[in-house]
Amino acid sequence: MAVDSARVPVPDVQDPPGIVTSARGSGWVLALMSFAAFMAALDVLVVTTALTTIQRSLGATAEQLGWTVNAYSLALAVSILAAAALGDRFGNRRVLVGGLGLFTMCSAACALAPSIGLLIVARTVQGIGAATIMPITLTILSAAFPADKRGKAIGIWGGLTGLAVAGGPLIGGAIVEGLAWQWIFWVNVVLGAILIPLILRKVTESRGSRVPVDLPGIALVSAGSFGLVWALVRGNTSGWTSAEVLSALAGGTVALVAFVAWELRTRTPMLPMPYFRLQAFSAGNGAGFFMMASLFGAVFLMAQFLQVVSGASPLKTGLQILPWTATPMVIAPLAGMLADRFGERWILTTGLMLQGIGLGAIALVAGPTTPYLALMPGLLVAGVGISMAIPTVQNAVIGAVPPQAIGKASGTSNTLRQLGGVFGIALAIAVFTRTGDFTSPAGFTDGFSPALLVTAALSLLGAVAAVLVPARRTHSTQSLATA
């Protein structure tokens, strides 16, 4: 579950175009950029252990709980590349401060939300602010360090953001139990109030190459993703053959087809379509999409199962999920080194298979009276699997393109993986609400087991895509114009 550099545009090892590298105040820059990214990454999954409390406090349905996570992830996914372009055009520090201000204000709106509808709206705009923070902190950090010291700085940045995502459920549970669910968001307000003036004082302005923002592409991919997710979430409630659901499916599909057509013809595409002709790039992104779909859908379900069925407190839930979510911090570095030596294909394939097997095992043993110890083997197997998959799927994608194209390739991978997480939660909710509910442990389990089996299947689909990754990772020397 760690956040890695494939989640945001990663600068090449050379100085980014248009940005002058300077070591002045680099220690401050490292600290400020890392903590800003930590704040945004924390909110990806920090709400998972608070969902049951939010459901009881605001009277939310399973669909609405899904949107509290998906609204953030969807907005983050479709905005991240545009945010990077805005930083190049208008100044990285200026756009970062604006994004932090938006994120901070929306965090306060989340904490004050009197209804689940307003909470979802605030989470959506908060995701746009997070999309500004994630890529631009990395760009500013890259500009502050010379090439020979940049890798270490980015490693610290990535380690803290990874810790934020991995520890999100535990931190959220501790805050909910010690204070209240609203304090998940008030913490952001405090951090934002500290970070913004420090960034204005300690970070110098920088700009990159002024590439026009692909506004039509952003609009089309947003409309398409929203249509498909809406149909999945509303299918059981409104009926899969209802006008609402069929219209959402048709509209979403048409928008995504139009998005691909537009990206093929525009000079400044949001997603570089020629890259998808490279087998490693396409297969790696396919594996990444299904990896995150499985992971996010399963975390969404598991955090609530432990509270609704097992009766665990939010803090205890976060602790019980740790065998799964914290595993990447130990195993992922080893998997990355093995991938460098032996290639990504079989490490990635095996990792996604293990995650599917682990989730499937949990689904088969889960019941209203199942003890936690019976779930732990599945959690550990799934944790080992995702730990193997995270670094290798990143290597497969960025290793498919020439060094000068790594930033664009990483941004593309991030967008698709975030969309995968949105899709996974929406699909898990659709399956859960068909047979399950929150009225009793037995009712929850009736929906939990089949929904978790679906997330296991998604991971196995990712393994199928991973088989298509070339056996050895080599940077492509092929011209992207002819790829």
Side-chain angles (χ1 to χ4, degrees):
M1 190 153 317
V3 170
D4 55 72
S5 55
R7 286 184 169 274
V8 292
V10 179
D12 185 20
V13 292
Q14 303 300 319
D15 292 338
I19 297 179
V20 178
T21 301
S22 171
R24 186 174 71 86
S26 56
W28 271 105
V29 173
L30 175 58
L32 294 172
M33 296 305 101
S34 296
F35 278 108
F38 179 94
M39 183 172 66
L42 184 66
D43 271 56
V44 173
L45 292 176
V46 73
V47 299
T48 53
T49 44
L51 289 174
T52 302
T53 304
I54 293 173
Q55 187 266 332
R56 293 167 181 164
S57 175
L58 301 180
T61 65
E63 297 174 4
Q64 292 169 328
L65 288 180
W67 278 112
T68 63
V69 181
N70 272 349
Y72 184 88
S73 298
L74 184 58
L76 175 62
V78 301
S79 304
I80 195 166
L81 290 175
L86 289 173
D88 288 340
R89 176 172 288 271
F90 300 108
N92 289 303
R93 187 186 67 172
R94 180 181 300 172
V95 174
L96 174 60
V97 168
L100 276 169
L102 181 65
F103 185 90
T104 301
M105 289 188 294
C106 288
S107 295
C110 289
L112 296 171
S115 67
I116 190 66
L118 291 176
L119 176 60
I120 291 170
V121 171
R123 283 282 286 172
T124 302
V125 187
Q126 187 190 35
I128 297 173
T132 302
I133 296 168
M134 295 302 291
I136 294 183
T137 54
L138 194 53
T139 300
I140 293 176
L141 187 63
S142 178
F145 287 85
D148 60 337
K149 297 181 180 180
R150 192 173 297 146
K152 182 179 180 181
I154 292 176
I156 294 172
W157 178 94
L160 279 174
T161 53
L163 180 63
V165 175
L170 176 60
I171 294 171
I175 292 174
V176 170
E177 189 165 334
L179 298 168
W181 69 263
Q182 290 88 346
W183 274 96
I184 289 175
F185 303 108
W186 284 126
V187 168
N188 293 332
V189 177
V190 175
L191 291 176
I194 296 172
L195 285 171
I196 289 173
L198 284 174
I199 289 172
L200 288 171
R201 183 176 179 181
K202 299 293 185 179
V203 178
T204 58
E205 186 60 278
S206 61
R207 287 179 171 83
S209 55
R210 298 191 175 188
V211 179
V213 180
D214 183 17
L215 292 177
I218 294 171
L220 288 170
V221 75
S222 300
S225 302
F226 181 81
L228 295 183
V229 170
W230 184 267
L232 285 172
V233 171
R234 293 287 296 165
N236 288 327
T237 302
S238 298
W240 291 99
T241 58
S242 66
E244 175 190 355
V245 172
L246 292 178
S247 297
L249 282 173
T253 302
V254 169
L256 290 179
V257 171
F259 168 73
V260 173
W262 170 258
E263 295 299 288
L264 287 171
R265 60 175 293 185
T266 182
R267 293 184 178 180
T268 56
M270 176 182 174
L271 296 183
M273 291 299 167
Y275 291 8
F276 288 97
R277 298 176 188 172
L278 303 172
Q279 182 176 330
F281 186 82
S282 295
N285 274 308
F289 179 92
F290 287 113
M291 176 186 76
M292 297 307 290
S294 172
L295 181 64
F296 274 49
V299 171
F300 175 84
L301 293 166
M302 198 69 207
Q304 296 178 81
F305 174 86
L306 292 172
Q307 294 180 69
V308 175
V309 177
S310 301
S313 67
L315 176 58
K316 187 177 180 180
T317 297
L319 291 170
Q320 290 180 337
I321 290 178
L322 277 182
W324 178 21
T325 60
T327 313
M329 288 185 285
V330 178
I331 296 178
L334 177 62
M337 288 188 291
L338 291 174
D340 287 339
R341 183 172 181 180
F342 300 109
E344 296 86 10
R345 178 195 286 175
W346 297 116
I347 298 175
L348 177 57
T349 302
T350 302
L352 291 174
M353 288 181 64
L354 286 175
Q355 177 171 253
I357 291 170
L359 296 178
I362 295 172
L364 293 177
V365 302
T369 59
T370 302
Y372 172 70
L373 289 178
L375 305 175
M376 186 175 287
L379 289 172
L380 287 172
V381 170
V384 171
I386 194 63
S387 302
M388 296 171 66
I390 283 175
T392 48
V393 76
Q394 171 195 357
N395 289 351
V397 171
I398 67 174
V401 301
Q404 67 270 20
I406 287 177
K408 198 77 170 180
S410 298
T412 300
S413 177
N414 173 69
T415 298
L416 292 174
R417 289 164 68 181
Q418 290 290 345
L419 290 175
V422 172
F423 173 80
I425 292 177
L427 184 59
I429 292 170
V431 176
F432 173 85
T433 55
R434 189 170 184 85
T435 56
D437 55 52
F438 286 87
T439 57
S440 67
F444 191 94
T445 304
D446 287 341
F448 172 80
S449 293
L452 198 64
L453 283 174
V454 168
T455 66
L458 290 172
S459 192
L460 296 178
L461 285 175
V464 172
V467 172
L468 301 177
V469 173
R472 297 290 302 181
R473 178 176 67 87
T474 56
H475 282 289
S476 174
T477 58
Q478 189 176 12
S479 169
L480 292 176
T482 60

